[in-house]
Amino acid sequence: MLALSQTLERETARVSRFVALLTQEQEALTAARPEELPAIHDEKASLIGQLNTLESQRNQLIGGAPTLPEKERMAQWLNAHPAETKIAGQWARLIGMALDAKRLNELNARLVKLHLDRTTQALAILTRRSEENTFYGANGQASQFTGSRIVDSA
């Protein structure tokens, strides 16, 4: 039981750090500081790897049918070990933090989409203006010259 408690403790610490990173990511997205995102992404990727390892360890410790969803397996283990109130509390905290992380991640995804949409709109406007500023000469070929000496000589 000690190993399971320690694993849950380590998982909770990693998820807590993940939530902090998602908050940093959200701040960088809302303040339009994209230069901060690569470092945040790298640390998130590292934490995901660590969390996957800890999840595997936890699943080995609780046993149960591997075909069952993780929450059900843990619920079965907790029902079979009602005296393990510390582990039940750790699990509840972990699930709560994971839900917080999920909500933050979804919000950050919406922020990224908003930035992407704005960038796409800006590119469309710039591309359209570029096309509109193409003039054609007497020979029918595209020309940057407008036919106005004042504009063409500038």
Side-chain angles (χ1 to χ4, degrees):
M1 304 308 164
L2 179 61
L4 180 57
S5 179
Q6 290 172 338
T7 300
L8 286 169
E9 198 172 297
R10 288 193 304 271
E11 263 187 291
T12 301
R14 299 308 187 292
V15 172
S16 177
R17 178 63 189 142
F18 196 77
V19 167
L21 281 172
L22 288 169
T23 302
Q24 283 181 319
E25 181 180 59
Q26 184 180 64
E27 291 167 1
L29 289 167
T30 56
R33 296 188 312 257
E35 67 277 1
E36 295 177 15
L37 296 175
I40 292 169
H41 175 270
D42 291 346
E43 191 172 348
K44 281 175 33 182
S46 172
L47 279 172
I48 288 169
Q50 294 171 37
L51 284 165
N52 287 339
T53 299
L54 289 167
E55 177 185 13
S56 293
Q57 290 173 1
R58 176 175 33 83
N59 284 331
Q60 287 177 348
L61 290 168
I62 64 172
T67 56
L68 284 178
E70 176 177 323
K71 287 182 182 180
E72 287 182 38
R73 289 174 65 194
M74 193 64 185
Q76 285 180 349
W77 188 92
L78 290 169
N79 286 337
H81 302 87
E84 297 295 336
T85 56
K86 178 181 177 183
I87 290 175
Q90 288 175 310
W91 176 248
R93 276 190 300 284
L94 180 61
I95 292 298
M97 291 175 72
L99 288 173
D100 290 344
K102 180 181 179 183
R103 281 190 286 269
L104 276 170
N105 194 52
E106 289 170 352
L107 178 59
N108 290 357
R110 287 194 300 269
L111 288 170
V112 167
K113 183 179 181 333
L114 178 67
H115 282 291
L116 182 61
D117 289 347
R118 286 183 179 167
T119 301
T120 301
Q121 290 170 356
L123 286 172
I125 290 168
L126 293 171
T127 303
R128 198 171 328 125
R129 284 194 181 151
S130 169
E131 290 170 359
E132 289 171 2
N133 288 337
T134 302
F135 298 97
Y136 296 93
N139 63 0
Q141 298 298 315
S143 169
Q144 293 300 317
F145 299 110
T146 66
S148 170
R149 286 187 205 157
I150 295 171
V151 173
D152 291 341
S153 63

